[in-house]
Amino acid sequence: MSKMTLSEELSWRGFIKQTTIKDIKELDNKKIIFYHGYDASADSQTIGNLAAMMFDKVFLRHGHKAVILAGGATSMIGDPGGKDKERPMQSEEVISFNVSCAEKQLKQVFKDNDFTLVNNIEWFKSMNVIDYLRGVGKHFSMTPLIQRDYIAKRIGEDGDGISYTEFSYTILQGYDFLYLYRKYGVNLQLAGSDQWGNSLSGIDLIRRVEGVEVDVITLPLVINKTTGKKFGKSEDGAVWLDENKTSVFKFYQFWLNIDDEGCEEYLKIYTELDKKEIDSVLKEFENNRSSRYAQKVLAKEITSLLHGRDRALSAEKVSNVLFGGENFMDLNDNELELLSKELATVKYLDDIIELIVSANLATSKTEARNLVNSGAINLNGNKISLDEYGFIEGINLLKKGKNSFVLVKK
């Protein structure tokens, strides 16, 4: 990495939205033990959560210690922040499974770093209601809590209301900070900007109970500059870190197809490339935007981080076969397997016209014949004719135009 200080790198990468620290340069001469909590309301984290993990990794690269929290207890309650209605409650079994999935993904992203992984069910499961009310609840004033935007909106005239359960979420998160301060010496919370209010609960609680000042830094929500929507949301839903929900190929393709305008921001947030490296990428990109060089670097770096370098290279090669003119015949078994998960596979038929129709590349034999005659049908990288096409034994790639593909098994 470059010789940037921690405060310089955080600012350069755009990781600071709000903070209780008066001068961010204070971080450069301080021993930091931070914690960052991750929700377990779903069985996978998303690329929004990945941005938060990359935020954490900046601190780790600068030699600070991390306590990463999988919210087994708080996920049972549900964070009301950003929600107009009460979340449906999930069973303990579902939350426990989700926590195990979160822990697996956190370990994957932080695999090269030392960190402590905790689950807040560990300390909440033995806390009874009297302990909670006397030891925690008595330190919170109702007035500032009900004035917080997301709570005020829910209990206002047009609001949907809020249960005591969800109202208590901010108190539980505040106690997380206190517990981790006492056990691990945590003196900084990292969080998303939507957690600012909840983070202040922990700061206030530690000040009241321990007489100590601790801090919080939140990172901004990543926004798609083209759509103005939360980054990672598409027509098909979120972009997940679990390959069973977003395949390695689709994950790679998502980054490969992002808008030009967001490239610089995403390179800073989602990769560990330093300033010199990113400046070099952007310079080459600006010289020829049609090459999509920045997107290619971004896709390879992030897919490598999450799924490993070999699988990222396989996704790159398959993409180049489908869209970049590389030879289909050069794909190895692993790459063919990756491709087979993305494309429909049909059985070989001796009649090429019937095969094109059965593969849904044409709606009729007449259309199929016209496609072949116009040179719109490609087999394993070569245009075919009605008299000459030449399928190989095994898997073949049949292509119509630029973006319609099907695998043919002979």
Side-chain angles (χ1 to χ4, degrees):
M1 286 299 299
S2 68
K3 295 181 181 179
M4 281 185 177
T5 65
L6 174 57
S7 64
E8 287 171 341
E9 185 173 354
L10 289 172
S11 299
W12 172 69
R13 291 190 184 274
F15 274 137
I16 302 174
K17 172 68 173 180
Q18 305 140 303
T19 182
T20 54
I21 301 171
K22 293 181 180 179
D23 183 352
I24 200 68
K25 291 180 181 179
E26 293 175 20
L27 294 172
D28 300 332
N29 300 299
K30 187 176 182 181
K31 181 182 177 182
I32 299 167
I33 304 173
F34 71 88
Y35 103 89
H36 198 151
Y38 289 85
D39 184 65
S41 58
D43 58 3
S44 175
Q45 303 291 297
T46 70
I47 60 170
N49 306 116
L50 181 60
M53 297 176 201
M54 300 307 289
F55 180 32
D56 298 342
K57 293 190 80 172
V58 176
F59 284 83
L60 291 167
R61 286 199 299 273
H62 283 267
H64 300 291
K65 294 183 178 180
V67 178
I68 304 299
L69 184 151
T74 39
S75 296
M76 289 186 187
I77 303 303
D79 182 2
K83 302 295 180 182
D84 295 327
K85 296 182 179 180
E86 194 91 1
R87 290 175 184 242
M89 294 190 73
Q90 296 177 306
S91 69
E92 291 186 30
E93 292 76 18
V94 168
I95 294 296
S96 178
F97 175 74
N98 291 349
V99 167
S100 67
C101 294
E103 290 178 342
K104 181 180 178 181
Q105 291 173 352
L106 289 163
K107 288 177 181 178
Q108 171 64 22
V109 175
F110 294 118
K111 61 182 179 295
D112 297 324
N113 307 101
D114 292 327
F115 67 101
T116 301
L117 183 63
V118 298
N119 179 351
N120 56 10
I121 196 68
E122 296 170 13
W123 50 91
F124 281 120
K125 65 182 178 182
S126 59
M127 180 182 287
N128 63 45
V129 67
I130 300 299
D131 292 337
Y132 166 72
L133 293 174
R134 288 176 60 86
V136 185
K138 72 173 183 177
H139 296 290
F140 286 87
S141 169
M142 290 290 290
T143 303
L145 293 182
I146 63 175
Q147 289 174 345
R148 289 187 180 167
D149 291 345
Y150 62 91
I151 293 178
K153 183 178 179 181
R154 290 273 290 271
I155 63 178
E157 184 176 341
D158 298 323
D160 200 58
I162 187 170
S163 69
Y164 179 74
T165 299
E166 281 201 346
F167 182 80
S168 300
Y169 182 93
T170 190
I171 300 175
L172 298 183
Q173 192 178 115
Y175 183 76
D176 283 341
F177 202 166
L178 175 62
Y179 180 90
L180 296 174
Y181 166 79
R182 287 171 169 171
K183 184 166 184 177
Y184 298 102
V186 169
N187 54 6
L188 176 68
Q189 180 179 357
L190 304 184
S193 58
D194 60 338
Q195 295 297 308
W196 176 249
N198 292 332
S199 300
L200 293 179
S201 292
I203 289 173
D204 291 342
L205 181 60
I206 292 173
R207 182 187 299 119
R208 292 171 184 271
V209 175
E210 301 290 340
V212 173
E213 293 295 330
V214 292
D215 290 294
V216 59
I217 304 174
T218 69
L219 76 159
L221 192 67
V222 184
I223 300 296
N224 185 316
K225 294 186 182 339
T226 300
T227 65
K229 296 180 180 179
K230 187 176 179 180
F231 188 61
K233 294 290 185 182
S234 67
E235 292 180 2
D236 298 323
V239 179
W240 302 96
L241 304 192
D242 184 344
E243 65 179 278
N244 294 314
K245 297 169 79 72
T246 300
S247 70
V248 177
F249 178 78
K250 284 188 172 68
F251 188 82
Y252 179 90
Q253 283 290 313
F254 172 81
W255 298 104
L256 191 63
N257 290 297
I258 63 165
D259 57 285
D260 289 353
E261 189 179 356
C263 283
E264 181 176 356
E265 178 182 350
Y266 306 149
L267 282 164
K268 290 178 180 179
I269 292 173
Y270 286 102
T271 79
E272 295 180 277
L273 299 176
D274 64 24
K275 186 177 187 303
K276 184 178 179 180
E277 291 168 320
I278 290 178
D279 285 347
S280 177
V281 170
L282 293 173
K283 182 178 180 180
E284 184 167 340
F285 174 59
E286 290 298 335
N287 288 336
N288 181 14
R289 286 201 171 199
S290 63
S291 70
R292 303 190 69 77
Y293 180 68
Q295 286 93 336
K296 291 175 182 177
V297 171
L298 186 63
K300 184 185 289 186
E301 288 293 323
I302 304 177
T303 308
S304 295
L305 170 73
L306 191 63
H307 298 294
R309 196 73 172 177
D310 289 345
R311 301 185 80 190
L313 291 173
S314 292
E316 179 184 40
K317 190 172 180 180
V318 168
S319 293
N320 288 336
V321 165
L322 295 180
F323 306 110
E326 278 201 24
N327 193 344
F328 170 77
M329 306 301 290
D330 290 337
L331 294 180
N332 62 33
D333 289 344
N334 290 333
E335 291 155 357
L336 285 172
E337 182 181 358
L338 186 152
L339 187 59
S340 68
K341 293 178 180 178
E342 304 302 325
L343 302 180
T345 301
V346 299
K347 291 183 179 180
Y348 171 75
L349 298 173
D350 286 331
D351 189 322
I352 186 62
I353 299 302
E354 289 187 5
L355 176 56
I356 292 171
V357 175
S358 71
N360 293 319
L361 296 179
T363 57
S364 67
K365 289 184 178 181
T366 299
E367 183 187 0
R369 192 171 288 107
N370 290 336
L371 288 170
V372 173
N373 287 332
S374 66
I377 301 295
N378 183 297
L379 175 65
N380 297 335
N382 301 304
K383 290 183 180 181
I384 67 171
S385 68
L386 293 174
D387 301 320
E388 186 177 351
Y389 31 94
F391 285 84
I392 62 170
E393 292 297 324
I395 300 297
N396 296 261
L397 178 66
L398 199 61
K399 178 179 179 181
K400 180 183 77 171
K402 293 183 177 181
N403 298 306
S404 296
F405 309 92
V406 68
L407 296 178
V408 180
K409 185 174 184 179
K410 184 177 180 182

